[in-house]
Amino acid sequence: MPREKQYNEAEVIERAMVLFWKNGYKSTSLRMLSKEMGINQFSINASFGNKKNLFLESLKLYKSKLQQVLKKFEDSSNGKDSIKNFFYAFAAFSNQDNNKRGCLMVNTMSEFGLEIDEQVGAVISNYGEKLRGLFKKNLEFNTAIDSVTLNKQINFLVLAIGGLGLAGKIQNNTVIEDYIEMTFKNL
Amino acid sequence: MPREKQYNEAEVIERAMVLFWKNGYKSTSLRMLSKEMGINQFSINASFGNKKNLFLESLKLYKSKLQQVLKKFEDSSNGKDSIKNFFYAFAAFSNQDNNKRGCLMVNTMSEFGLEIDEQVGAVISNYGEKLRGLFKKNLEFNTAIDSVTLNKQINFLVLAIGGLGLAGKIQNNTVIEDYIEMTFKNL
DNA sequence: ATTTTAACTAATCAATCGATTAGTTTTAGG
DNA sequence: CCTAAAACTAATCGATTGATTAGTTAAAAT
């Protein structure tokens, strides 16, 4: 029998995720990853195949962490205030420990635009659809609303959450708070 | 006397700008630039010094083009409708010819975050301040407004225009239009 | 016509990229 | 104890990066 892996895959993915989150995909080299993950390039390859797959695993881990935020949103879906609470939670997640890393998924969409890798794009799109569903549910909560207006509001919120992800990298907390307050003032 | 330059600097900067706009700074290599600009790497160096300076020139050219959009905003600053018109013009500029390139300045802020080059950051910040001033002017137009609310609205619009720049890369025109309409419905 | 100057071309520099190879160490089964 | 299998280390692969060098060409001034 061979020796055991001397590292925990979940742990090294977490470190990779932080690096990708901080620097983006292209600007994070395998050597940086190797150093930060504490394992050498060959081990990265052995565990994850290649850089893209490591990124995919990092993205999935990120998504699972953000899923905890989404879970609260799902559990207390009581209308527009729930959406607003989610916006605040998402903004906090995008600037945790005041690291100004934004949102890894928004960062990735911004880095690749529409020429995104198919698998990476699928992970992100899946999250987007989930979000749309929750926005819909909460916008309809206790309110009669025509489908045209509903769709406009959903589109509004989708773009807004993207803007908020970007803002997590470059804006201070006051700007972000003011944005959320103004957004929900008259929604 | 030596021979004349066989290329027009303004023309080659324009081509460089398009490439940076499309691909971002890091993903645009000097070889890609050389090919697209129709001059070789040495000539790029001779005219612009290095990649960063070429990017700076591209950014300034971009800004001057966007300045035409801003000029209209300055000339017809008649309140919130003027801001809304600017939003539409900015969105159109960020997706001209349906190229989904977004806004070069927003793209650059997203690429570098707060670790942006000092000179590059200065060019972008300067534009941001101009924008803030125009938002302020139009929000105050024909309306009494307390300074606290005014600042919140300005912050709201600043984040919103960034989100719109990002959306120009990844969202369809309907989402963008819905966002603008919703944004100004109750402002 | 010769000289001078800079624009030009092509080749190449060291550094870094993602990925891989060759060879060593560890560990459990036989 | 010996062997087999895989985790490991270190070195290096070809390709590409930004930048630069050496040498050639063109054109105005003398």
Side-chain angles (χ1 to χ4, degrees):
Chain A
M1 278 286 159
R3 64 201 278 197
E4 290 182 354
K5 275 197 169 64
Q6 296 193 305
Y7 54 92
N8 179 296
E9 289 203 359
E11 281 178 15
V12 298
I13 291 174
E14 173 109 22
R15 289 168 178 270
M17 181 201 74
V18 169
L19 222 51
F20 281 127
W21 192 358
K22 187 177 175 184
N23 304 316
Y25 179 77
K26 293 169 193 162
S27 290
T28 304
S29 73
L30 282 173
R31 282 160 186 80
M32 294 162 65
L33 288 162
S34 171
K35 191 175 176 184
E36 186 66 24
M37 294 164 81
I39 63 180
N40 84 6
Q41 286 191 54
F42 178 83
S43 296
I44 293 178
N45 190 276
S47 279
F48 307 105
N50 56 31
K51 185 184 176 184
K52 198 198 88 177
N53 282 332
L54 175 58
F55 181 72
L56 262 176
E57 291 304 314
S58 301
L59 198 61
K60 287 173 186 169
L61 175 61
Y62 179 86
K63 207 174 152 180
S64 75
K65 288 179 175 292
L66 192 52
Q67 180 60 33
Q68 297 171 15
V69 177
L70 208 64
K71 182 75 165 52
K72 286 188 182 175
F73 187 21
E74 283 171 342
D75 289 346
S76 70
S77 282
N78 310 316
K80 290 171 183 173
D81 275 351
S82 296
I83 306 180
K84 184 177 174 181
N85 287 337
F86 169 70
F87 267 56
Y88 269 111
F90 178 79
F93 191 87
S94 299
N95 189 25
Q96 52 192 260
D97 311 315
N98 266 303
N99 276 325
K100 288 268 169 269
R101 291 190 294 232
C103 167
L104 179 57
M105 290 196 274
V106 172
N107 294 352
T108 303
M109 286 196 294
S110 178
E111 180 171 357
F112 294 102
L114 295 180
E115 294 173 6
I116 199 165
D117 172 85
E118 194 175 343
Q119 290 178 275
V120 174
V123 171
I124 296 174
S125 295
N126 169 276
Y127 194 83
E129 288 310 308
K130 267 192 181 179
L131 219 48
R132 278 188 174 272
L134 283 169
F135 288 154
K136 181 172 186 288
K137 179 180 172 186
N138 282 278
L139 288 169
E140 286 173 329
F141 189 85
N142 268 352
T143 312
I145 183 172
D146 65 289
S147 66
V148 173
T149 303
L150 175 65
N151 274 313
K152 284 188 180 182
Q153 289 185 340
I154 293 172
N155 283 339
F156 170 72
L157 291 171
V158 164
L159 199 155
I161 205 79
L164 212 52
L166 170 61
K169 288 188 78 171
I170 59 178
Q171 303 284 6
N172 65 46
N173 291 335
T174 304
V175 171
I176 291 171
E177 186 180 333
D178 288 351
Y179 180 77
I180 297 176
E181 287 301 320
M182 284 293 303
T183 295
F184 289 94
K185 194 170 185 180
N186 297 306
L187 184 67
Chain B
M1 278 286 159
R3 61 201 283 195
E4 290 182 354
K5 275 197 169 65
Q6 296 193 304
Y7 55 92
N8 179 296
E9 289 203 359
E11 281 178 16
V12 297
I13 293 174
E14 172 109 22
R15 289 168 177 270
M17 181 201 72
V18 169
L19 223 50
F20 281 127
W21 194 357
K22 187 177 174 185
N23 304 317
Y25 179 77
K26 293 170 193 162
S27 291
T28 304
S29 73
L30 282 173
R31 279 157 187 84
M32 293 163 66
L33 287 162
S34 171
K35 189 176 178 183
E36 186 66 24
M37 295 163 82
I39 64 180
N40 82 9
Q41 286 192 54
F42 179 83
S43 295
I44 293 179
N45 191 276
S47 278
F48 307 105
N50 55 31
K51 186 184 176 184
K52 197 197 89 175
N53 282 331
L54 175 57
F55 182 71
L56 261 175
E57 292 304 315
S58 301
L59 198 61
K60 287 174 185 169
L61 176 61
Y62 179 85
K63 206 174 154 181
S64 76
K65 288 180 176 288
L66 192 52
Q67 180 59 36
Q68 296 171 17
V69 177
L70 208 64
K71 182 77 164 51
K72 286 189 181 174
F73 187 22
E74 284 172 340
D75 290 347
S76 70
S77 282
N78 310 317
K80 291 171 183 172
D81 275 351
S82 296
I83 305 179
K84 184 177 174 181
N85 287 337
F86 169 70
F87 267 56
Y88 268 110
F90 178 80
F93 191 87
S94 298
N95 189 25
Q96 52 192 261
D97 311 315
N98 265 304
N99 276 326
K100 289 266 169 268
R101 290 191 295 233
C103 167
L104 178 57
M105 289 195 275
V106 172
N107 294 351
T108 303
M109 285 196 293
S110 177
E111 180 172 356
F112 293 103
L114 295 180
E115 294 172 7
I116 198 165
D117 173 86
E118 195 174 342
Q119 290 178 275
V120 174
V123 171
I124 296 175
S125 294
N126 169 278
Y127 194 83
E129 289 310 309
K130 268 192 181 178
L131 219 48
R132 278 188 174 272
L134 283 169
F135 288 154
K136 181 172 186 288
K137 179 180 172 187
N138 282 278
L139 288 170
E140 286 172 329
F141 189 85
N142 268 354
T143 311
I145 183 172
D146 64 290
S147 67
V148 173
T149 304
L150 175 65
N151 274 313
K152 284 188 180 183
Q153 289 185 338
I154 293 172
N155 283 340
F156 170 72
L157 291 171
V158 164
L159 199 157
I161 205 80
L164 213 52
L166 170 61
K169 289 188 78 172
I170 59 177
Q171 302 284 6
N172 64 46
N173 291 336
T174 303
V175 171
I176 291 171
E177 187 181 332
D178 289 349
Y179 179 77
I180 297 175
E181 287 301 320
M182 283 294 302
T183 294
F184 288 95
K185 195 170 185 179
N186 296 307
L187 184 69

